[in-house]
Amino acid sequence: MSVETFDVVVAGGGPAGSTVASLVAMQGHRVLLLEKEVFPRYQIGESLLPSTVHGVCRMLGVTEELAAANFPVKRGGTFRWGARPEPWTFSFAVSPRMTGPTSFAYQVERARFDEILLNNAKRKGVTVREGCSVTGVVEEDDRVTGLRYLDPDGGEHEVSARFVIDASGNKSRLFSSVGGTRDYSEFFRSLALFGYFENGKRLPEPYSGNILSVAFDSGWFWYIPLSDTLTSVGAVVRREMAEKVQGDREAAYEALIAECPLISEYLSDARRVTTGDYGELRVRKDYSYRQTTFWRPGMILVGDAACFVDPVFSSGVHLATYSALLAARSINSVLAGDLDEKTALDEFEARYRREYGVFYEFLVSFYEMNVNEESYFWHAKKVTNNKHTELESFVDLVGGVSSGEAALASRIAEHSAEFAAAVDDMAAGGDGDMVPMFTSHVVKQVMQEGGQVQMRAVLGEDAAPEEPVFPGGLVTSPDGMKWMPYRG
């Protein structure tokens, strides 16, 4: 078997894989991307955040193509959640009077969005091979040195590379090669049942493109407009309902919709899609987890191969593309001879874990805000009802220092109350002013790093110099493509 040689080989052509491949190829390195499907193909995870659209996608050079794709514009999120009986809206703009050119994102059909990113990778010089299934890694001593894969005709191949990147998603068969274990979050160990509708109702302008998230007794619904007529509708419920859902998906789905008056209203004149890629009722379960290690010599996990958290704040594609950007900076720094592998990849892992942890704690606080003592689902989502240390271990991987369960519960209760008060202040004002929301601790934390990525992508080398995220850590190079030592 002949062995091809590249600088980097990427398994998986979704947003994480195409992003890291493009950003490394843009530095002049030879990159091979292997994707088992042939694009376009179906994928869930349709709601984006501004940091992806105006940060990473701007760096990739696809912002104009995304604008031309006519995806619904998402100006924030609308929620029937918490103590208020009426829906309330979180806007990406500080106020209606201060909407800027980057205060929006998109709702995307992932088949189209992912194909845009993969085709862009080809234009950037990445060798892309679709219909190729990765079968395993090649190891030498304690280092991963390449991949084995099957081509569309079943032919076996081997490729050698300085770095192997696993971007093959939550169903990855490679992640265990990096070592460690995949730890599932008991707190968010839920199940999603989802399908698609034509001609569902829309929110009033200017928020018709917002995601609508609605809490109800058995869990919560997402309602995502994907075009003028197509809507993604999913119910997130407790994992114990798996047998009932799997037994008769149609009956379970209809019963859950009937249990939620607001979603029932929005679907009253709608028709469920029953043919094509959107015609299947799908189930996804146990989808909040994190790998205990994100890299080993020669191999890196990005996107869902490394971790995933509950989707209520649309963090999936953000974490995928953000981790890809971090990995690309580390790889580019090593291949350029600027940094050693351990220094560069420790920065990647520390930043990725921090971002995951920030979203995790934000979401725990968000769940804490919804009060429904009669509901088994919501009762189990109260921090005070979780006696295990699982929450502590997940949250404390951000700082690496255990603060104790009591301190964690107190912190989350405090942040959740602050966030709930911000929602009340915003709603009471009636003018859409987001200042109370943006000044709450959990929102500041969750928007911080994405805002930095956006600012650097928009301003380029005119962006203000950053400081290390961690003591003794690295900072981003002026062009955003590598790491460099902090010289402050």
Side-chain angles (χ1 to χ4, degrees):
M1 186 189 305
S2 61
V3 178
E4 290 183 282
T5 301
F6 288 84
D7 295 311
V8 175
V9 58
V10 180
S18 56
T19 295
V20 68
S22 296
L23 294 173
V24 173
M26 287 163 66
Q27 292 288 290
H29 306 301
R30 296 185 66 235
V31 182
L32 171 66
L33 186 151
L34 302 169
E35 166 56 48
K36 68 177 181 179
E37 307 283 353
V38 176
F39 280 31
R41 56 88 179 94
Y42 172 83
Q43 184 58 272
I44 191 64
E46 297 138 334
S47 198
L48 305 185
L49 294 178
S51 58
T52 300
V53 175
H54 306 292
V56 175
C57 287
R58 182 181 290 268
M59 293 180 70
L60 294 173
V62 296
T63 49
E64 290 185 9
E65 195 171 353
L66 291 180
N70 202 30
F71 293 126
V73 173
K74 172 187 175 182
R75 302 192 184 282
T78 299
F79 300 87
R80 166 60 279 278
W81 197 289
R84 299 191 69 83
E86 296 301 317
W88 51 272
T89 293
F90 172 89
S91 173
F92 295 132
V94 174
S95 81
R97 300 176 300 279
M98 296 177 63
T99 55
T102 61
S103 55
F104 69 90
Y106 296 114
Q107 313 284 17
V108 297
E109 293 181 70
R110 283 286 302 276
R112 295 170 58 208
F113 176 74
D114 291 12
E115 189 173 33
I116 287 171
L117 296 190
L118 190 65
N119 287 339
N120 182 66
K122 297 173 186 176
R123 292 195 297 270
K124 299 299 183 187
V126 178
T127 300
V128 175
R129 294 176 188 162
E130 298 176 68
C132 294
S133 299
V134 174
T135 56
V137 302
V138 179
E139 299 180 67
E140 189 173 315
D141 298 325
D142 63 347
R143 186 176 185 85
V144 173
T145 59
L147 288 178
R148 297 185 184 89
Y149 71 95
L150 300 176
D151 65 29
D153 298 320
E156 297 181 3
H157 301 268
E158 184 177 314
V159 58
S160 174
R162 286 277 302 276
F163 288 100
V164 169
I165 300 175
D166 181 10
S168 56
N170 67 301
K171 295 180 181 177
S172 166
R173 293 187 294 179
L174 299 180
F175 72 88
S176 58
S177 300
V178 90
T181 58
R182 177 174 282 189
D183 288 352
Y184 289 88
S185 167
E186 290 297 331
F187 187 86
F188 287 119
R189 205 158 193 178
S190 303
L191 173 151
L193 173 63
F194 51 97
Y196 296 81
F197 286 82
E198 284 284 351
N199 300 315
K201 185 178 174 181
R202 291 289 177 261
L203 289 161
E205 295 294 349
Y207 299 118
S208 62
N210 277 18
I211 182 173
L212 173 63
S213 301
V214 182
F216 70 115
D217 283 353
S218 292
W220 64 272
F221 267 99
W222 75 69
Y223 188 95
I224 303 173
L226 297 178
S227 73
D228 289 342
T229 61
L230 183 66
T231 309
S232 170
V233 182
V236 176
V237 297
R238 57 193 177 96
R239 187 170 170 264
E240 288 80 1
M241 290 185 69
E243 189 174 329
K244 178 181 177 182
V245 167
Q246 296 283 24
D248 188 339
R249 294 185 185 186
E250 290 278 357
Y253 194 54
E254 290 174 7
L256 289 166
I257 291 171
E259 192 184 329
C260 185
L262 186 57
I263 295 298
S264 294
E265 176 196 337
Y266 270 64
L267 294 176
S268 58
D269 295 324
R271 173 185 60 83
R272 192 172 77 76
V273 179
T274 55
T275 59
D277 285 343
Y278 294 127
E280 178 186 348
L281 281 179
R282 292 177 165 90
V283 172
R284 187 168 172 188
K285 55 187 177 179
D286 293 347
Y287 55 23
S288 294
Y289 56 84
R290 59 106 165 95
Q291 188 72 8
T292 54
T293 183
F294 289 179
W295 73 276
R296 63 174 282 196
M299 185 174 179
I300 307 166
L301 307 181
V302 296
D304 292 0
C307 57
F308 187 80
V309 70
D310 187 274
V312 71
F313 201 64
S314 310
S315 57
V317 176
H318 163 68
L319 289 172
T321 55
Y322 175 72
S323 66
L325 172 60
L326 299 179
R329 287 173 179 167
S330 295
I331 291 167
N332 289 336
S333 300
V334 175
L335 293 179
D338 296 341
L339 294 169
D340 66 90
E341 182 179 72
K342 186 176 189 311
T343 299
L345 289 175
D346 279 350
E347 185 73 22
F348 152 78
E349 177 155 350
R351 288 196 184 222
Y352 192 16
R353 283 191 182 282
R354 179 192 178 280
E355 189 74 350
Y356 176 83
V358 161
F359 271 87
Y360 189 95
E361 184 163 349
F362 169 77
L363 292 168
V364 172
S365 300
F366 195 67
Y367 269 80
E368 180 82 0
M369 190 178 126
N370 197 68
V371 180
N372 186 341
E373 290 299 332
E374 303 302 312
S375 161
Y376 182 94
F377 180 92
W378 292 106
H379 184 75
K381 293 295 183 280
K382 303 298 285 183
V383 173
T384 50
N385 295 331
N386 282 267
K387 303 300 182 187
H388 46 71
T389 60
E390 184 265 345
L391 272 178
E392 181 190 348
S393 68
F394 261 79
V395 173
D396 284 334
L397 54 77
V398 185
V401 179
S402 176
S403 56
E405 276 191 82
L408 173 65
S410 172
R411 184 169 81 234
I412 286 174
E414 178 185 335
H415 292 166
S416 182
E418 180 193 34
F419 186 75
V423 170
D424 286 340
D425 288 349
M426 178 194 69
D431 59 359
D433 194 323
M434 291 288 118
V435 171
M437 191 82 79
F438 282 126
T439 54
S440 67
H441 176 84
V442 289
V443 174
K444 279 196 297 187
Q445 284 282 95
V446 89
M447 302 293 274
Q448 177 183 335
E449 190 62 15
Q452 285 280 357
V453 172
Q454 256 182 263
M455 189 178 301
R456 184 161 296 280
V458 172
L459 298 179
E461 301 200 9
D462 292 331
E466 65 177 33
E467 295 192 357
V469 174
F470 306 98
L474 305 171
V475 295
T476 308
S477 62
D479 64 2
M481 300 293 277
K482 293 189 288 186
W483 301 121
M484 54 188 281
Y486 178 58
R487 306 193 189 282

